[in-house]
Amino acid sequence: MFADITMIKLSSFRLALGVASCLALAPTVSADQLEKAQAIEGNTTQEAAQSQSRINRHSDSSLVMRQEIEQLQAQISNLEIYRDHLQNLVVNQDKEATSLRNQIDEIKDTRQGIVPLMYRMLGGLEQWLAQDIPLKADQRQARLQKLQAMMGRADVADSEKFRRILEAYQIERDYGSKLDAYQDTVVLNGRDHQVDVLHLGRMSLVARSLDGKQYWLWSARDDQWVELDASVADAVDKAFAVAQKQMAPSLLSLPLSANQGVKS
């Protein structure tokens, strides 16, 4: 019986020892698991942080790429607009070039026609001076000679030559509508005399001696100066006064060059 009790006690002791061993090992297993869990959690957190960092980097890169794409699209749009602008310019320049070529061709044709025309105009002017009354004859003849000499000058453009010839024609036309007085040298009885000359257009050309005592009228019919009677002195003097702005314009009575002839 004692032996049985001893066996029971031994068995109980072993059981208690096993239980104690199990109880002693239990905390150790829980700590390892906790450390593993903590390690796993740490690794998970680190990987999550790394993943988030990668996501952030990719997101930033995506934003940068999107901005670059938008900038490139804007540049492309501007380039397309500029390309269309250049194309329009090229089309317009082609039209301008065509127009200029046509104008050059027209200028060549015009120049070939204008030069002969200018020579004909000078010939007509020379003939007109030869047949006209001797109104400012020396001045007009000097103008014609300058125009004739100008035609042979290479440093004067054809346009300028034409302008000066037209200007000479304008001056000749104005002579026909003016009342003017000036001093000139005329041939009277075969001798040169310094006189005062007055013309009313081309209708009347009269001369007065510098002392105001003699008067002459140009006779277009006889192509020479003829002396006038003293009876016209007042009318001629009045015309001189009006021409020299010494008297207000008024009705004038002058002999006509076309109607006066040499007395027989």
Side-chain angles (χ1 to χ4, degrees):
M1 183 178 180
F2 179 80
D4 293 336
I5 293 171
T6 300
M7 289 299 294
I8 292 171
K9 288 182 179 180
L10 182 58
S11 298
S12 299
F13 175 75
R14 289 178 178 174
L15 180 60
L17 183 60
V19 173
S21 298
C22 290
L23 291 174
L25 291 172
T28 301
V29 172
S30 297
D32 290 340
Q33 292 176 347
L34 181 60
E35 289 178 358
K36 289 181 180 180
Q38 290 176 346
I40 292 172
E41 182 181 2
N43 292 334
T44 302
T45 302
Q46 184 177 1
E47 290 178 357
Q50 293 175 353
S51 298
Q52 185 62 43
S53 177
R54 287 194 297 271
I55 291 172
N56 292 337
R57 288 196 302 271
H58 290 314
S59 178
D60 293 340
S61 299
S62 177
L63 290 175
V64 171
M65 291 180 65
R66 182 179 300 174
Q67 292 176 353
E68 291 178 351
I69 291 172
E70 291 176 353
Q71 291 176 356
L72 290 174
Q73 288 176 340
Q75 291 177 1
I76 291 172
S77 178
N78 291 336
L79 289 174
E80 289 176 347
I81 295 174
Y82 188 62
R83 178 203 61 195
D84 295 339
H85 174 69
L86 290 179
Q87 288 178 346
N88 292 332
L89 287 179
V90 169
V91 172
N92 185 262
Q93 288 175 349
D94 289 341
K95 292 181 180 178
E96 288 290 334
T98 302
S99 176
L100 288 174
R101 285 193 294 269
N102 294 335
Q103 292 178 28
I104 290 172
D105 293 337
E106 292 175 0
I107 289 173
K108 291 179 180 178
D109 296 338
T110 302
R111 184 175 181 180
Q112 291 175 355
I114 199 67
V115 173
L117 174 62
M118 287 191 289
Y119 279 106
R120 289 195 297 269
M121 291 175 71
L122 289 177
L125 186 59
E126 183 177 13
Q127 184 178 3
W128 171 255
L129 292 182
Q131 297 175 353
D132 196 20
I133 62 176
L135 165 63
K136 296 184 178 181
D138 292 342
Q139 181 178 340
R140 295 162 70 190
Q141 191 64 35
R143 183 183 302 112
L144 174 62
Q145 291 174 356
K146 288 183 179 179
L147 292 175
Q148 290 172 335
M150 176 192 67
M151 291 300 296
R153 291 177 54 183
D155 60 332
V156 181
D158 288 341
S159 59
E160 178 63 14
K161 293 175 182 178
F162 190 68
R163 186 193 67 79
R164 292 185 186 180
I165 293 174
L166 287 180
E167 184 179 53
Y169 268 82
Q170 179 65 42
I171 294 172
E172 290 295 326
R173 191 193 72 170
D174 292 342
Y175 284 150
S177 59
K178 285 184 176 180
L179 173 66
D180 190 22
Y182 59 95
Q183 284 193 350
D184 200 359
T185 300
V186 299
V187 178
L188 300 172
N189 299 322
R191 296 172 56 187
D192 291 341
H193 290 267
Q194 187 74 16
V195 295
D196 292 323
V197 180
L198 177 140
H199 76 95
L200 177 60
R202 287 184 168 84
M203 296 183 298
S204 179
L205 180 65
V206 296
R208 182 181 65 182
S209 63
L210 296 182
D211 59 9
K213 294 181 179 180
Q214 289 180 288
Y215 301 87
W216 297 268
L217 174 70
W218 176 259
S219 172
R221 184 176 60 188
D222 298 316
D223 196 29
Q224 64 179 346
W225 291 96
V226 296
E227 189 171 0
L228 293 173
D229 295 334
S231 60
V232 301
D234 290 341
V236 173
D237 289 342
K238 180 181 178 181
F240 269 103
V242 172
Q244 294 168 349
K245 296 181 172 51
Q246 297 173 354
M247 180 183 294
S250 60
L251 182 63
L252 300 177
S253 178
L254 289 171
L256 299 180
S257 293
N259 294 338
Q260 188 69 36
V262 178
K263 294 179 180 179
S264 58

